[in-house]
Amino acid sequence: MLIIIGVLFAGGGGAILIPGTVVRGIERIQDKDGFLAAGSLALSTDGYALSSPAGDPLELPGGTPAVPFEFVTLRVTVTSTDKPVFMGIGAQRDIDRYLGGVEHSEVEGLNTFSSSAEYRHVDGGAPTLPPGELDIWVAEATGSAPQEMQWSLTPGEWGMVVMNADGGAGVDVEMNIAARSGLIAPAANFLTVLGWTLFLLGVAAVIAGGVLLGVGQSGLRTPR
């Protein structure tokens, strides 16, 4: 029985070490600031804005408990080919109001391996105001040089918009999205420690079971 328990513990520990090794590998390929980049993508639209899907916002439930470390921080870098660019993150409901009736493209699918994207075109006209004149953004960046924006995920439903700074039509940018989380290091440590603990306990149980089995068999032997 002890041998069976040991095999189960050792097998479970080995199974836990696999995702622990994967998480540890993710930790090692982060950049010097702790971000894991998804790669660059060329995005464009003939409309007035590129946006995240209105029906699929970046969401963190309001009841999410506070944690003593960074949950998720996004870093977005955008480079425009020929015009000053604006990018901003705001509440999805505010973005819906701003882009209501505005011709734009929702970026629904990103493939960093092929550097391609899928779009859903929304018909409309021009925006009433350039994006930088609104106070709906929780994070924003604008300018003609490559622009970088960082934002820590908080409870709510959020969306992102990329436009020309003047609000004009024809948006053509290169975007790089990266993420950083304080969960990665604790998760790697926990899985590694738990996996090795179970594995070593299992090995010890198998050895002890084997010793006890040998002693028991010796005691059952008939003396000559």
Side-chain angles (χ1 to χ4, degrees), residues 14-104:
I16 292 173
L17 283 172
I18 294 174
T21 302
V22 172
V23 176
R24 185 70 69 189
I26 293 174
E27 184 182 23
R28 289 174 179 170
I29 62 175
Q30 294 172 317
D31 65 18
K32 62 182 180 62
D33 296 318
F35 284 93
L36 183 65
S40 297
L41 286 168
L43 303 174
S44 63
T45 179
D46 293 331
Y48 295 88
L50 292 161
S51 75
S52 54
D56 187 22
L58 182 60
E59 182 177 3
L60 184 65
T64 302
V67 292
F69 45 77
E70 181 182 47
F71 190 64
V72 175
T73 295
L74 295 179
R75 183 185 68 194
V76 184
T77 305
V78 169
T79 304
S80 177
T81 56
D82 57 354
K83 303 174 184 177
V85 67
F86 170 91
M87 61 175 168
I89 292 176
Q92 188 62 55
R93 62 180 181 277
D94 294 331
I95 292 175
D96 291 343
R97 281 195 292 266
Y98 176 52
L99 294 182
V102 174
E103 181 185 2
H104 65 283

